[in-house]
Amino acid sequence: LGSQADLQRGYVQVAVDALGTGASEGGWELFSPEEQTAFADMVDWVHAQPWSNGQLGVAGVSYMAISSLFAAQRRPDDIDAVFASLPLGDAMRGIAGTGGLINGHFMSTWMQITAMLSTQHVPSALTYPQHMNHYMKVTQEHAQHIDDYFIPLIEDSLNGEPYIAYDGEFWSSRSPLTNIQKIKAPTFIFGALNDLFQRDEPLLFEALQNNNVDSRLVIYNGSHFPNFVTSHIGNNAVPPIHW
């Protein structure tokens, strides 16, 4: 589900809920191929709108940055620029197997936050009462998907099931680095010295450079969360870059 708003400088901004999150229908499955296809569908939808002039850039921070990279891979000829701040590159090593060990602390905290954001829609439903029935419907879908998908996934992880315990199709299909060669659009990547994905951001940049993509990489001080927050606050969210 997307929303759009006209901006002062003549742009249209479209905000997209990942498949199975927010007000979007379906079930969320962590960068799944179905989710990536949904981002491509959204690109198609934007280009079909009467206000579209055919030029489209994608941007975001953290999960939204990863989503932007997936969209650019799925629709390389339809996206003109990518701004990815604090993106993941290698899903296995970036979130689940950091340094070769199971990153249980991050995964447990992150899963609680994402599950909460996917199922707690009361403020939105009260703000937009005309969509109350839709919010109630998707909330039930998202809650049911936790039981049907994520609880078994967590159990498989704890039991050391090979498909999730080792690097393979499950993780490679969820890693932007796997199909990074499909991106054609000029790409700007922002990272942080102590970021969760500080290994990944230079790897993404290096891969883009090797594919002759016009790309830039800027690494700021700090960690993931402070850079995530500041990128959403104020008119000067991104610190100035001195070339």
Side-chain angles (χ1 to χ4, degrees), residues 7 32 55 75 81 104 123 125 128 138 153 159 165 168 175 178 185 188 207 214 226:
L7 302 184
S32 68
Q55 295 181 315
R75 292 293 184 270
Y128 304 101
V138 299
L153 186 69
N159 291 331
S175 301
T178 300
F188 209 133
D214 185 5

Side-chain angles (χ1 to χ4, degrees), residues 4-241:
Q4 63 188 59
D6 291 323
L7 302 184
Q8 293 179 352
R9 295 192 173 98
Y11 292 89
V12 174
Q13 183 182 46
V14 180
V16 182
D17 289 328
L19 183 68
T21 71
S24 175
E25 297 176 338
W28 176 62
E29 295 188 2
L30 181 62
F31 308 130
S32 68
E34 291 77 14
E35 179 181 320
Q36 296 174 40
T37 299
F39 291 133
D41 291 341
M42 198 63 193
V43 172
D44 297 340
W45 179 87
V46 169
H47 279 300
Q49 300 311 300
W51 39 257
S52 173
N53 65 357
Q55 295 181 315
L56 175 63
V58 290
V61 185
S62 192
Y63 201 102
M64 289 73 78
I66 303 163
S67 304
S68 298
L69 294 172
F70 282 139
Q73 292 174 4
R74 293 280 177 154
R75 292 293 184 270
D77 295 323
D78 297 325
I79 290 177
D80 299 286
V82 180
F83 292 88
S85 182
L86 308 172
L88 163 77
D90 180 338
M92 174 63 175
R93 293 161 184 81
I95 57 176
T98 307
L101 299 174
I102 294 178
N103 193 345
H105 175 72
F106 169 76
M107 290 300 294
S108 61
T109 302
W110 188 59
M111 292 299 291
Q112 290 181 54
I113 294 173
T114 51
M116 181 183 68
L117 292 175
S118 294
T119 56
Q120 303 305 311
H121 297 137
V122 172
S124 298
L126 293 176
T127 303
Y128 304 101
Q130 68 272 29
H131 300 306
M132 178 73 73
N133 290 337
H134 177 79
Y135 279 115
M136 295 302 100
K137 175 179 178 291
V138 299
T139 298
Q140 182 58 43
E141 289 182 355
H142 299 171
Q144 186 62 46
H145 205 67
I146 293 174
D147 291 338
D148 295 342
Y149 179 79
F150 278 105
I151 297 302
L153 186 69
I154 292 170
E155 290 178 347
D156 285 349
S157 178
L158 294 175
N159 291 331
E161 292 296 332
Y163 81 95
I164 196 169
Y166 300 102
D167 198 2
E169 176 62 24
F170 179 87
W171 294 111
S172 65
S173 67
R174 290 162 167 78
S175 301
L177 276 168
T178 300
N179 292 307
I180 194 69
Q181 76 281 357
K182 294 183 179 180
I183 294 180
K184 299 179 181 179
T187 301
F188 209 133
I189 294 177
F190 300 91
L193 285 175
N194 301 308
D195 180 29
L196 177 69
F197 305 137
Q198 60 103 321
R199 170 183 178 268
D200 297 40
E201 292 138 359
L203 289 175
L204 288 165
F205 171 70
E206 183 180 55
L208 290 167
Q209 289 276 292
N210 290 340
N211 292 327
N212 297 315
V213 173
D214 185 5
S215 49
R216 302 289 186 275
L217 171 68
V218 174
I219 301 292
Y220 294 112
N221 196 12
S223 59
H224 192 85
F225 186 72
N227 279 275
F228 180 96
V229 173
T230 56
S231 66
H232 288 81
I233 299 175
N235 295 323
N236 298 311
V238 177
I241 301 169

